[in-house]
């Protein structure tokens, strides 16, 4: 599988912040980073069904390097170890469902062992990262140039600007074809590309987005009067029923890679955490994974 070709690294500027004091940067513990993560992406914003926070690792362990990634796959864990990261922060949980064993005779058990035996902590920032300001859908909306952005579903325990999905307006009317090209241009390159339902020459201005799987939000999308809805993992029945229920043929649908739609958040998240830690005088090197964890490798299309 090809690595993501839009690698971005974010490093804290703690060295600059410390210049003049003559003191070495303070060592940072995993527990301190947990507090910084909570400040940026509070666990109270996570959905009820979700499992976020620290998965493996000792709060007293010292952290000098952090890797951000979408999925805690074997390849990503090895990338974190090769980088020398003492902490891997992933968007998706490794252990979302209850487990009674982490014996190394399953893929997830092996992952837990590899993490602990290599001294690599694992932390999950999932729907709390989706919902927060500067979260997954916010970054997607920003990359598309949307303005007057608001959540599709406001957070139950948050501010009005926090919640799942976003809707906003382009600064100009675009054809659906040109908008899809814009979508294609901002996302990392993946085998599945970008799928579109609707008239290529139809005009769009109001855009709803939800990074990751968003086919539970069609009601909110219709209520938002969006011309087009961009999300991932659109299955046949929800997608075809949404098109049957379209008014004036809208909302059009754009289906993208789940991985790609969420990868966009990683550089912004790495930068945000780097800034918080740097402001506290901590010197931590933070990178974004270059592993493409989209499960698809190639596609055949007619013509
Ligand atoms: Zn996801």
């Amino acid at each position: 599988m090809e690595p993501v070709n839009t690698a971005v690294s974010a490093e804290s500027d703690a060295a600059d912040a410390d210049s003049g004091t003559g003191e070495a940067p303070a060592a940072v513990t995993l527990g301190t980073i947990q507090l910084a993560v909570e400040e940026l992406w509070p666990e109270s914003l996570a959905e009820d069904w979700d499992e976020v926070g620290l998965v493996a690792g000792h709060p007293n362990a010292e952290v000098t390097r952090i890797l951000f990634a979408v999925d805690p796959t074997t390849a990503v864990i090895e990338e974190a170890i090769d980088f020398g990261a003492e902490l891997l922060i992933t968007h998706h949980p490794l252990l979302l469902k209850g487990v009674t064993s982490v014996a190394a005779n399953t893929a997830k058990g092996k992952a837990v062992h590899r993490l602990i035996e290599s001294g690599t902590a694992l932390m999950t920032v999932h729907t709390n990262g989706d919902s927060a300001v500067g979260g997954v859908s916010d970054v997607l909306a920003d990359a598309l140039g949307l303005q007057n952005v608001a959540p599709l579903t406001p957070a139950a325990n948050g501010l009005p600007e926090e919640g799942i999905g976003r809707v906003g307006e382009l600064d100009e009317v675009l054809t659906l074809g040109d908008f899809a090209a814009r979508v294609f241009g901002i996302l990392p390159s993946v085998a599945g590309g970008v799928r579109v339902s609707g008239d290529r020459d139809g005009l769009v201005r109001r855009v709803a987005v939800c990074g990751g799987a968003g086919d539970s939000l069609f009601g909110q999308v219709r209520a938002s009067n969006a011309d087009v809805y961009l999300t991932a993992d659109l299955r046949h029945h929800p997608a075809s029923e949404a098109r049957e229920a379209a008014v004036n043929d809208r909302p059009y649908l754009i289906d993208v890679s789940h991985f790609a739609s969420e990868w966009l958040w990683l550089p912004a998240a790495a930068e945000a955490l780097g800034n918080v830690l740097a402001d506290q005088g901590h010197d931590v090197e933070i990178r974004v994974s270059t592993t493409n964890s989209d499960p698809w490798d190639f596609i055949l299309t007619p013509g």
Side-chain angles (χ1 to χ4, degrees), residues 268-295:
E271 186 178 2
L273 182 59
N275 287 339
V276 169
L277 295 173
D279 285 348
Q280 296 173 359
H282 300 303
D283 187 12
V284 181
E285 189 179 357
I286 306 180
R287 277 193 197 166
V288 169
S289 167
T290 58
T291 301
N292 177 354
S293 57
D294 186 288

Side-chain angles (χ1 to χ4, degrees), residues 11 20 32 81 103 112 115 117 128 135 139 141 145 150 153 159-160 163 167 192 205 212 240 256 263 265 271 278 288:
E11 295 178 16
T32 299
I81 294 168
V112 170
L115 287 162
E117 287 166 6
N128 46 333
V139 170
T153 301
L159 303 167
V167 60
R205 178 148 203 179
S240 60
V256 300
W263 186 91
W265 173 70
E271 186 178 2
V288 169

Side-chain angles (χ1 to χ4, degrees), residues 70-71 91-93 126 130 136 211-213 233 258-259 261-262:
V70 174
D71 294 293
H91 185 55
H92 288 145
H126 192 208
D130 288 325
V136 173
D233 290 349
H258 188 132
F259 159 82
S261 70
E262 296 180 334

